[in-house]
Amino acid sequence: MASSHSSSPVVRPSSSDGKFKKEMDPSKKSFKAVRSLPDVCPKEPTGDSSSLCDSPSVVADQHRWTVYHSKVNLPAALNDPRLSKRESDFFTKTWGLDFMETEVMPSFYLPLITKDHFAPYLQDMTLRQKIHEKCKKICPLKDGLNQTLAPIVHNHDRSRTDLDQVPKIFLKSDFALEDPLTFSTVLPWSHFSGQHGASGKGTRDGASSRLLQEKLTHYLDVVEVNIAHQISLRSDAFFHAMTSQHELQDYLTKTSQAVKMLRDKIAQIDKVMCEGSLQILRLAVTRNNCVKMYNKLKLMATVHQTQPTVQLLLSTSEFVGALDLIATTQEVLQQELQGIHSFRHLGSQLCELERLIDKMMIADFSTYAHSDLNRPLEDDQLLEEERLVSLVFGLLRQRKLDFLDIYHEEMIAAAKNIIKQCVVETIAQMEEIDTEVVLKLADQMRMLNFPQWLDLLKNIFASFINFLKRVKGTVSTIRNVVFLVLDKSREKCRELELVSSQKTPVLGHTLDTEVAYLTHEGMFISDAYNERELSSPGVETESQRTDYQSSDPCGSDSTSEAECATDSSSSKEQTSSSATPGGLDILVGDDLQLTDLELGRVANNLQELLYSASDICHDRCVKFLMARAKDGFLEKLNSSEFVALSRTVETFVQETERICSRRSMSLRGALQSQANKFVNRFHEERKTKLGLLLDNERWKQAEVPAEFQDLVNSIEDGVITLPEKKATVPQERKPADFLFVDGQKYAVVGTVLLLIRIIFEYCQCVDDIPSITTDMLTRLSDLLKHFNSRSCQLVLGAGALQVVGLKTITTKNLALASRCLQLIVHYIPKIRLHFESRLQPKQYNMLRHFDHITKDYNDHISEILAKLVAIMDSLCDKTLSKYEVKAPVPSACFRNVCKQTAKMHEAIHDVLPAEQTQMLFLRINSSFKIHLKRQLIRLNVVNDGGPLHGLVTSDLAFYTGNIQALKGLENLDVNMIEIWEPKR
């Protein structure tokens, strides 16, 4: 069965149909688009549709194909004689040449099914299929079941047998006559390849072609019979479809009649009930237009007075009021008076006037900033606060957000004038400076001594503090104005949101109209309703504003036209008023269209302006400081003067940070630069001084003055500070022989006493100037290394023989050097703690210098003690090498060794502590035993109780008695048993 392109076949299965037994729920039906099929006989007349149904038919009227147009059966359609040739494609052969095959897009809602989805099912069913086949072999079908299935199987086998006659090549899915192999198989050209000249051959070819045609026709009849058989099996569905078409015709007829009746009723209702109401609406629209015209004329009269009113406001410096009036007039011209020919030039004139006001406000603000920043600094009151507030409002109103740059430039100029004025006032008070000879102000300033220059610097700092306080007051006032505008802007946004939320339901109700007809001059019914709703009491309309203006006293002739224009024009934008910090009421209108982002940027610029003020003051002070330091004046200051300068600068920096909340680094950096130069000079002076002291040091024990003992005593509690100089006492204390530190006495040379004081000066300088802590630590470590290396060269290296002129380096010189080094090592941990408390945690790695210094000093001390042992070792070796075991007793060698030991003890026992002395002599005694044992072995003296053994024993008793008789060595173990070789 076929259909045209525009038909849509619908199948409605009935309950009696055996093919469709289950009726679908109408609410759950989903119709899919069915591909339309072409008519099998498109050129055949379709017949008269009126003969089929007398009532109006939408289908017939729209020329849609129905089942009643079908006049041929399927075999006739398939054997259409008008077709010039048979198409190999199944669809074009079945449905005609008009069929166009189109590609169906895959559904986005259906997943792509592949063979992999069926793999689990096939695996599961394979085993079941095998089991089923085994069961069929074991248990064959029963006879009753075979009889029931026999007819069906017979018919199926018969159809199968008929179809088997058709060659398989015609049933292939890839059948195509374009393929040469397929074409030669279907039409074997071997039957037509003979010569046409031979009559017998031509006759045989003709018979072969007829036979081939009959064979193909037979194949076609077999296929058609099977197709007709399949269609006959589904004949109920086709008849049911035709029945559904009849029902659809009835439904459409009833629908068209109902629509006609509805239209007739609507036309009657429109004529009876609507024409009068529409006439009333037309008259209402006409009246509203007349009222609008009257109000428009009144508004034009008011706008005409704008320019004189603006001139009057400018004469009194009311910039904000003039700008608001101009903005209101511009808005009226663009909205309510747009297109008025008489006002075509007024807009450009007002724009030009607005630009003039901008220039006037900028000039006025520049004048105000200059006057405010250059008046006497003793006046701490804000200059004309009302004027400042008015100017700021006007500049914000005009979006002139760069007015702070003008104030910044004035700050720079004012800062220069402050320094110049302070220098001039100070120079004028100095009578010793001849201003006629020294003309330049900078040269005059350099002639001041340090106290005078420091007083000048303090005056400059005080002036800048007052200057920053004044700038901060001005910035605070401007910031308050900005925040006021910001608050009003946010409040306005909240009000607009509230009004819009209240109006939305009303408008939604009035606009709930399905039909709107033109009534008069392009006006719609819905527009008339909207206009009535918009004129509700909660919203001010144009007519109400006009009535309010007409009732206002300015409408009388007795009132000046300028005041009338001002009041009427300003009534629109004056929404709220707020008292500013200065007590001036400024009207914040709707025309101040600054966004929150812009206002926030202005507030940030104000904070940056305050920061800039701090930076400007610091930069000017840096230039003043560098001008005085040009000739090396600051580098030549002593430590107390530089500390005073540093404290003054630090106080000023902290005060500016408190006022401006800004940590400016320029002045600190300049001071740090000078501090570095001061540290270099400080260090070089003391290093040079220490070098001179060491070059003149004779390494003899020096007396310790009382002031040095007081210096040492002052840091016993762990805090390193230089004691204050006391007044001269009539009876001065005598110097002591030793320096007492933490209960121990130290015999020292004079250079070490001065070195201790220099070390304390480094620590005190760090307390006074914390910014140079790291530099001082580096310099101090360099100083300590210099002392260690230089003292090693002079004592252990015997450099003092040439530098100072010493005859020899004695054991006492070595002991004094060791004890001095031990004193420095004693103070290194305290110095380390002093610097550690003043360093940042990230700078703690610098403390490793003290560890290296301590190690170097301890190594130096060990070398000195080893040198003392080596001296006695060499003496014992030289003396005992001449030892002979003979009378008298004690021998001369032992007498000489005891004498030299006593001299060494006398030289070092007052210098080194008892523990070190005892340890030193233990090492000397061990060396003596080694040399004596070697000599006895050479002399072949053994421990056999003979005369030689007795003589050696007597000498050893003499040596032991002399050693233990020395002070502090009473308990020294001098056992001499191990000098003898064991008995054989």
Side-chain angles (χ1 to χ4, degrees):
M1 186 170 184
S3 63
S4 66
H5 287 279
S6 59
S7 63
S8 298
V10 179
V11 179
R12 292 188 179 182
S14 62
S15 59
S16 61
D17 190 359
K19 301 294 182 182
F20 308 92
K21 294 183 179 181
K22 186 175 181 180
E23 181 71 24
M24 296 178 61
D25 188 359
S27 61
K28 298 182 179 179
K29 286 183 178 180
S30 58
F31 297 98
K32 297 183 179 179
V34 181
R35 179 180 296 175
S36 60
L37 303 177
D39 194 352
V40 294
C41 298
K43 298 180 181 179
E44 188 176 338
T46 58
D48 189 6
S49 61
S50 60
S51 62
L52 302 176
C53 184
D54 296 335
S55 60
S57 176
V58 176
V59 177
D61 293 341
Q62 296 180 358
H63 305 288
R64 293 177 182 266
W65 185 89
T66 65
V67 294
Y68 304 108
H69 290 76
S70 178
K71 295 183 175 62
V72 294
N73 56 10
L74 185 62
L78 296 177
N79 294 303
D80 188 359
R82 292 174 297 175
L83 296 179
S84 59
K85 61 179 179 178
R86 292 282 179 185
E87 297 291 340
S88 61
D89 184 78
F90 172 76
F91 296 103
T92 55
K93 182 177 70 175
T94 305
W95 293 329
L97 295 175
D98 295 335
F99 174 79
M100 298 299 294
E101 185 177 2
T102 59
E103 183 180 358
V104 180
M105 295 295 295
S107 175
F108 297 103
Y109 302 99
L110 298 179
L112 181 61
I113 304 301
T114 61
K115 188 176 181 181
D116 296 337
H117 290 82
F118 299 96
Y121 173 77
L122 293 176
Q123 293 177 0
D124 187 25
M125 296 305 295
T126 302
L127 181 59
R128 296 184 183 183
Q129 178 68 20
K130 293 180 180 179
I131 296 173
H132 177 68
E133 294 296 335
K134 291 181 180 179
C135 292
K136 286 175 63 177
K137 293 179 180 180
I138 296 173
C139 300
L141 293 174
K142 296 181 180 181
D143 296 338
L145 182 61
N146 291 334
Q147 294 177 1
T148 304
L149 298 177
I152 299 175
V153 173
H154 177 71
N155 294 333
H156 176 72
D157 292 341
R158 181 180 178 183
S159 300
R160 188 72 180 178
T161 303
D162 295 338
L163 289 175
D164 289 341
Q165 298 177 7
V166 181
K168 301 301 182 182
I169 191 172
F170 293 105
L171 303 180
K172 288 184 178 180
S173 59
D174 56 348
F175 178 81
L177 287 176
E178 292 83 357
D179 186 10
L181 184 60
T182 303
F183 186 82
S184 61
T185 304
V186 175
L187 300 175
W189 287 100
S190 59
H191 299 285
F192 309 104
S193 58
Q195 297 294 331
H196 296 285
S199 60
K201 190 70 174 177
T203 304
R204 187 175 58 184
D205 290 344
S208 298
S209 62
R210 285 194 296 273
L211 180 61
L212 178 62
Q213 183 176 2
E214 291 296 334
K215 186 185 297 185
L216 293 178
T217 304
H218 175 67
Y219 294 158
L220 177 62
D221 293 338
V222 171
V223 173
E224 288 180 350
V225 168
N226 280 275
I227 292 175
H229 175 69
Q230 294 296 328
I231 293 175
S232 65
L233 295 178
R234 293 166 177 80
S235 60
D236 293 341
F238 287 103
F239 287 112
H240 179 73
M242 290 188 292
T243 304
S244 300
Q245 292 292 333
H246 286 289
E247 294 178 358
L248 181 60
Q249 286 291 114
D250 296 338
Y251 292 154
L252 291 176
T253 302
K254 295 178 181 179
T255 301
S256 62
Q257 292 177 356
V259 169
K260 182 177 179 181
M261 293 176 61
L262 180 60
R263 288 181 176 178
D264 294 338
K265 291 181 180 180
I266 291 175
Q268 294 177 1
I269 293 173
D270 180 55
K271 183 177 181 181
V272 174
M273 301 183 65
C274 297
E275 288 184 357
S277 301
L278 291 176
Q279 183 64 24
I280 295 174
L281 291 175
R282 292 190 189 96
L283 295 176
V285 169
T286 303
R287 180 181 180 278
N288 288 335
N289 290 337
C290 295
V291 172
K292 289 180 180 179
M293 177 62 69
Y294 174 74
N295 294 334
K296 193 77 68 176
L297 292 174
K298 289 185 65 177
L299 188 60
M300 291 174 61
T302 302
V303 170
H304 184 65
Q305 299 297 325
T306 298
Q307 286 181 312
T309 307
V310 170
Q311 296 293 341
L312 180 62
L313 292 174
L314 292 180
S315 63
T316 58
S317 299
E318 290 291 339
F319 299 110
V320 179
L323 290 171
D324 289 341
L325 181 56
I326 291 175
T328 304
T329 306
Q330 290 279 24
E331 183 180 357
V332 171
L333 288 174
Q334 294 175 1
Q335 295 180 1
E336 301 181 17
L337 299 181
Q338 187 176 9
I340 303 300
H341 187 71
S342 59
F343 288 149
R344 64 186 183 278
H345 300 302
L346 182 58
S348 59
Q349 294 173 359
L350 292 178
C351 291
E352 191 66 28
L353 190 59
E354 190 173 5
R355 285 193 287 269
L356 177 62
I357 294 175
D358 293 345
K359 296 180 181 179
M360 292 175 63
M361 284 193 301
I362 292 175
D364 200 1
F365 183 79
S366 178
T367 304
Y368 173 84
H370 181 78
S371 303
D372 180 50
L373 296 175
N374 290 279
R375 60 192 175 97
L377 295 173
E378 292 78 11
D379 186 7
D380 56 353
Q381 298 295 328
L382 187 62
L383 179 65
E384 298 181 11
E385 185 175 2
E386 296 82 1
R387 178 186 175 191
L388 174 63
V389 172
S390 177
L391 285 172
V392 172
F393 266 113
L395 291 170
L396 293 177
R397 166 66 179 74
Q398 291 302 102
R399 306 172 74 94
K400 300 295 181 181
L401 306 181
D402 55 348
F403 66 95
L404 297 179
D405 297 338
I406 300 174
Y407 198 85
H408 184 270
E409 295 175 359
E410 293 294 335
M411 284 195 308
I412 296 175
K416 294 180 181 179
N417 293 333
I418 287 174
I419 291 184
K420 184 176 181 180
Q421 186 65 26
C422 291
V423 173
V424 169
E425 292 177 356
T426 302
I427 297 299
Q429 297 176 0
M430 301 299 169
E431 298 179 356
E432 62 271 15
I433 299 177
D434 190 357
T435 56
E436 296 180 358
V437 177
V438 184
L439 299 179
K440 291 184 178 181
L441 193 62
D443 296 335
Q444 296 173 3
M445 182 266 296
R446 293 190 185 97
M447 297 179 66
L448 299 175
N449 56 28
F450 178 75
Q452 294 171 346
W453 180 82
L454 186 61
D455 292 338
L456 173 60
L457 183 63
K458 290 180 180 178
N459 292 334
I460 292 175
F461 285 166
S463 300
F464 275 135
I465 293 298
N466 294 332
F467 173 76
L468 290 177
K469 290 180 179 179
R470 177 174 297 175
V471 172
K472 184 177 182 181
T474 303
V475 169
S476 299
T477 302
I478 298 175
R479 184 187 292 111
N480 292 335
V481 174
V482 173
F483 287 162
L484 176 63
V485 174
L486 183 60
D487 294 340
K488 293 299 179 182
S489 176
R490 292 177 178 174
E491 183 179 354
K492 176 186 173 183
C493 292
R494 287 194 295 268
E495 291 177 355
L496 291 177
E497 291 176 358
L498 181 61
V499 170
S500 62
S501 62
Q502 292 176 354
K503 289 169 59 178
T504 300
V506 178
L507 292 176
H509 175 69
T510 57
L511 293 176
D512 189 13
T513 307
E514 295 182 356
V515 183
Y517 291 98
L518 280 172
T519 57
H520 179 64
E521 295 182 358
M523 192 60 136
F524 289 86
I525 296 178
S526 57
D527 295 337
Y529 284 143
N530 291 342
E531 186 174 356
R532 182 178 298 273
E533 293 294 339
L534 291 175
S535 62
S536 60
V539 183
E540 180 184 4
T541 61
E542 183 67 26
S543 61
Q544 290 176 343
R545 186 169 68 249
T546 306
D547 295 340
Y548 174 78
Q549 292 174 355
S550 63
S551 62
D552 193 83
C554 69
S556 61
D557 297 336
S558 59
T559 309
S560 64
E561 292 180 353
E563 293 178 356
C564 176
T566 303
D567 295 339
S568 61
S569 301
S570 302
S571 62
K572 182 176 181 180
E573 81 279 0
Q574 294 175 358
T575 58
S576 61
S577 63
S578 177
T580 58
L584 179 65
D585 290 340
I586 298 295
L587 299 177
V588 183
D590 296 342
D591 296 326
L592 198 60
Q593 298 296 334
L594 286 174
T595 63
D596 291 351
L597 180 61
E598 291 175 333
L599 293 174
R601 188 179 297 115
V602 173
N604 292 334
N605 292 339
L606 286 171
Q607 189 64 36
E608 291 295 333
L609 181 65
L610 190 59
Y611 293 161
S612 299
S614 176
D615 294 340
I616 289 171
C617 294
H618 281 251
D619 293 341
R620 301 313 304 178
C621 291
V622 168
K623 291 185 178 180
F624 177 77
L625 198 67
M626 294 296 102
R628 190 65 183 92
K630 182 176 292 186
D631 54 355
F633 173 76
L634 298 180
E635 299 177 16
K636 299 176 183 178
L637 298 179
N638 56 37
S639 58
S640 60
E641 290 175 343
F642 195 86
V643 167
L645 173 62
S646 177
R647 289 177 178 174
T648 302
V649 171
E650 188 64 26
T651 302
F652 172 71
V653 170
Q654 292 177 359
E655 188 67 18
T656 56
E657 289 179 4
R658 183 186 63 82
I659 296 174
C660 303
S661 301
R662 170 75 165 184
R663 187 178 179 84
S664 299
M665 300 304 297
S666 58
L667 186 56
R668 275 199 176 104
L671 183 63
Q672 183 66 35
S673 176
Q674 294 300 321
N676 293 335
K677 296 179 181 179
F678 168 77
V679 168
N680 291 332
R681 184 189 58 79
F682 180 90
H683 175 66
E684 292 299 329
E685 286 181 357
R686 281 150 183 77
K687 188 175 181 180
T688 303
K689 183 178 180 180
L690 179 62
L692 293 175
L693 291 173
L694 287 173
D695 291 341
N696 294 306
E697 181 59 57
R698 302 189 66 84
W699 298 101
K700 293 183 177 180
Q701 184 176 354
E703 294 181 344
V704 180
E707 59 175 336
F708 286 97
Q709 186 63 52
D710 294 339
L711 175 64
V712 171
N713 295 337
S714 64
I715 63 171
E716 287 184 354
D717 55 352
V719 180
I720 301 178
T721 55
L722 291 175
E724 297 180 359
K725 294 183 179 180
K726 300 180 180 179
T728 305
V729 182
Q731 294 182 355
E732 295 183 355
R733 293 176 293 172
K734 295 181 180 181
D737 293 334
F738 298 94
L739 181 67
F740 292 90
V741 179
D742 293 338
Q744 296 185 10
K745 65 177 183 179
Y746 288 85
V748 294
V749 297
T751 302
V752 173
L753 293 176
L754 295 176
L755 176 60
I756 294 296
R757 184 175 183 83
I758 290 173
I759 292 173
F760 292 169
E761 288 177 354
Y762 275 80
C763 296
Q764 182 66 35
C765 195
V766 168
D767 290 339
D768 296 332
I769 313 175
S771 60
I772 62 175
T773 301
T774 55
D775 292 334
M776 278 296 183
L777 190 151
T778 306
R779 302 301 193 282
L780 179 57
S781 62
D782 179 66
L783 185 72
L784 293 175
K785 291 178 181 178
H786 176 71
F787 174 77
N788 185 42
S789 61
R790 187 60 179 158
S791 61
C792 181
Q793 294 172 2
L794 292 173
V795 181
L796 277 178
L801 298 180
Q802 291 80 20
V803 176
V804 185
L806 296 179
K807 295 180 180 181
T808 181
I809 302 298
T810 63
T811 55
K812 189 164 187 175
N813 297 142
L814 292 170
L816 279 172
S818 174
R819 196 56 175 163
C820 292
L821 294 173
Q822 293 174 21
L823 178 62
I824 302 301
V825 171
H826 175 79
Y827 278 107
I828 286 179
K830 297 182 179 181
I831 299 171
R832 178 192 176 103
L833 290 176
H834 182 83
F835 277 90
E836 184 177 0
S837 61
R838 288 153 182 81
L839 288 175
Q840 299 293 331
K842 61 182 179 180
Q843 299 172 338
Y844 284 166
N845 59 343
M846 298 186 66
L847 297 174
R848 69 181 184 278
H849 293 296
F850 293 110
D851 299 332
H852 298 161
I853 293 171
T854 303
K855 182 179 180 301
D856 294 341
Y857 271 67
N858 288 328
D859 293 343
H860 190 186
I861 294 170
S862 301
E863 292 176 2
I864 292 175
L865 296 179
K867 182 66 175 178
L868 292 173
V869 175
I871 291 173
M872 289 303 300
D873 181 75
S874 175
L875 180 63
C876 291
D877 184 22
K878 181 180 179 180
T879 304
L880 291 176
S881 63
K882 301 177 182 179
Y883 174 62
E884 295 180 359
V885 184
K886 62 181 180 178
V889 177
S891 64
C893 290
F894 272 79
R895 288 178 183 274
N896 191 17
V897 169
C898 291
K899 181 180 178 181
Q900 295 298 330
T901 304
K903 284 184 178 181
M904 174 169 281
H905 179 269
E906 182 182 0
I908 68 174
H909 84 280
D910 288 334
V911 178
L912 297 178
E915 297 81 6
Q916 292 186 15
T917 303
Q918 189 172 6
M919 184 61 64
L920 179 64
F921 274 91
L922 276 174
R923 295 173 62 183
I924 293 173
N925 186 46
S926 300
S927 177
F928 173 79
K929 292 178 182 179
I930 294 171
H931 292 296
L932 180 60
K933 183 177 182 180
R934 185 184 302 116
Q935 183 65 17
L936 292 176
I937 293 173
R938 189 173 62 81
L939 295 175
N940 197 20
V941 177
V942 296
N943 185 11
D944 56 357
L948 295 179
H949 175 264
L951 291 174
V952 174
T953 303
S954 298
D955 287 336
L956 290 176
F958 174 76
Y959 173 78
T960 303
N962 278 275
I963 292 297
Q964 293 181 346
L966 297 177
K967 185 179 180 181
L969 302 179
E970 295 85 357
N971 299 323
L972 185 66
D973 183 13
V974 290
N975 187 11
M976 296 297 177
I977 297 177
E978 60 268 22
I979 67 173
W980 301 104
E981 284 290 326
K983 294 181 179 180
R984 299 176 182 176

